Amino acid sequence: QVQLVESGGGLVQVGGSLRLSCATSGGAFGLYTMGWFRQAPGKEREFVAGISRMTGNMHYSDSVKDRFTISRDNAKNTVYLQMNSLKPEDTAVYYCAARLLTTRISGDAHEYDYWGQGTQVTVSS
C-alpha cells in the first residue's frame, strides 16, 4: 500500500521558517499529484499547496501565496513545503496527501486518495 510520512514540524516564532517533508513509499511517486493540507483545532481541513505529477505545476491558497513553496524530488520520493514568514494563523496540523491518475491539483480533500499522519506546526508571537 501507499504510505506517506510527514516530518519537520515544530514550534517557531512569528516570521520564522520551517521545511516540512513528506516521504512516500509503496508506489510510484512520480505518478502522484501531491498536496499539502492543514487543520487547526475546531476548524475544517483546508488546502495549502499542491504540485502535479507530470507537469510540475504548482498552486497555492491565497493565505500562503508568496510565503510557502512546494517542491518535489522524485528520486527521493519526497515532497516538501518550505514555509517562510510564518504567522500565528499558520498554526495547525499539516498533512500531505496524494492523488492518483490525474495531473489536476484539487483543493478538495475528498479527492485525494492517500494521507499521512500529520505534523504539528505552532507559530507563537
Side-chain angles (χ1 to χ4, degrees):
Q1 64 175 7
V2 176
Q3 293 182 314
L4 289 72
V5 180
E6 303 96 333
S7 62
L11 175 64
V12 297
Q13 296 290 318
V14 170
S17 298
L18 283 174
R19 189 194 192 200
L20 305 184
S21 299
C22 176
T24 68
S25 62
F29 177 74
L31 300 180
Y32 307 154
T33 287
M34 302 297 298
W36 285 97
F37 291 76
R38 66 187 183 186
Q39 188 167 22
K43 297 184 178 180
E44 65 183 3
R45 188 168 298 186
E46 66 171 339
F47 174 77
V48 176
I51 185 167
S52 67
R53 64 182 176 91
M54 296 295 293
T55 66
N57 289 340
M58 292 168 275
H59 184 71
Y60 302 90
S61 68
D62 290 339
S63 62
V64 306
K65 187 177 181 181
D66 299 325
R67 298 188 298 119
F68 292 8
T69 303
I70 189 171
S71 62
R72 66 191 298 161
D73 186 339
N74 289 345
K76 296 182 178 180
N77 296 339
T78 301
V79 63
Y80 305 95
L81 185 68
Q82 178 66 47
M83 306 186 294
N84 299 324
S85 302
L86 284 162
K87 305 175 181 179
E89 52 262 43
D90 295 319
T91 295
V93 176
Y94 283 70
Y95 300 88
C96 64
R99 295 189 77 194
L100 306 181
L101 304 177
T102 183
T103 60
R104 185 172 294 107
I105 300 168
S106 175
D108 185 353
H110 293 106
E111 296 185 2
Y112 286 77
D113 301 296
Y114 301 100
W115 292 85
Q117 83 289 344
T119 185
Q120 177 71 48
V121 172
T122 303
V123 185
S124 63
S125 60

